[in-house]
Amino acid sequence: MPLHVPPAPAPALRSVLTALGSPTAVREAPTPALRSAEEPATPELPLPVHVLEHFTPEGISATRLAGWRFLIRCGDRAVAAAETRLTPDGWTFSHFFEGPYVASTERALRQAESLSQPYQPRLLSMPSLYMLTLWLHGDLSDDGAGGHPAATDLLVPLAPAPPGIPSHVPHRVADLLPVLTHRVTPVRLMGSPA
């Protein structure tokens, strides 16, 4: 089934296109692959990036939209990504980057296209676990900006994933959540009882 990629806000896309057209922005980016690309760079597959701060075995708190990420393609592969963020003045370009999450995201998206059910792809960051997942949301009518993972949505951990959690293996939220809650260590304040 094809993935239903939500459209990115037009100002977010414009900001990425402007950055790609700026020799200074590209030259100063920590992305050797983008700087040395001989083919034109194009932003593709905009994915909303949600952050999940708190969760328990019983459920997930609402996520917050942190930005939109575009894979930057040169020729037949993604060589970098561009991140945008929301400011008081609207969507703006944040930075370019490369690394393992670029290739891992591209791989997870290809895998998701072979699933029998259609999904809306998003990225879900779990800072407390140093984990990034491809979130395959079942409600195709969502605009990508809000919501929280439903029990039947799929999460695909991207590489590198935390130890003991296999990368690129889809898990239902209801199945993965209890495993993840055991990995989050509660923060103790100094002087509090153990």
Side-chain angles (χ1 to χ4, degrees):
M1 281 282 173
L3 295 174
H4 295 267
V5 179
L13 176 58
R14 277 195 304 272
S15 73
V16 170
L17 290 170
T18 299
L20 281 171
S22 164
T24 304
V26 172
R27 185 175 55 247
E28 292 180 0
T31 54
L34 181 59
R35 287 195 311 264
S36 64
E38 295 181 13
E39 298 181 58
T42 56
E44 295 183 355
L45 294 168
L47 297 173
V49 180
H50 291 261
V51 176
L52 179 62
E53 301 288 352
H54 305 288
F55 53 94
T56 66
E58 295 78 34
I60 291 179
S61 66
T63 63
R64 69 175 169 79
L65 180 64
W68 283 79
R69 182 173 296 172
F70 296 78
L71 292 181
I72 305 299
R73 185 169 299 284
C74 291
D76 63 347
R77 68 185 184 96
V79 297
E83 191 96 9
T84 64
R85 61 186 169 92
L86 188 58
T87 68
D89 295 325
W91 287 101
T92 186
F93 171 75
S94 176
H95 61 281
F96 291 116
F97 67 94
E98 61 184 46
Y101 285 132
V102 174
S104 187
T105 300
E106 193 172 38
R107 176 181 169 189
L109 287 166
R110 278 195 312 271
Q111 289 176 307
E113 287 176 343
S114 68
L115 297 173
S116 59
Q117 179 180 338
Y119 288 100
Q120 182 189 87
R122 303 169 174 201
L123 293 172
L124 182 64
S125 172
M126 298 176 212
S128 59
L129 295 170
Y130 300 100
M131 183 173 174
L132 183 65
T133 66
L134 178 65
W135 168 14
L136 299 173
H137 190 49
D139 186 352
L140 305 180
S141 65
D142 278 358
D143 63 3
H148 64 278
T152 56
D153 286 354
L154 297 179
L155 296 177
V156 182
L158 299 181
I165 298 175
S167 301
H168 298 285
V169 176
H171 301 273
R172 286 186 29 199
V173 169
D175 298 333
L176 186 59
L177 197 59
V179 173
L180 296 179
T181 56
H182 294 295
R183 294 179 167 265
V184 177
T185 311
V187 177
R188 283 191 19 205
L189 299 175
M190 289 189 62
S192 63

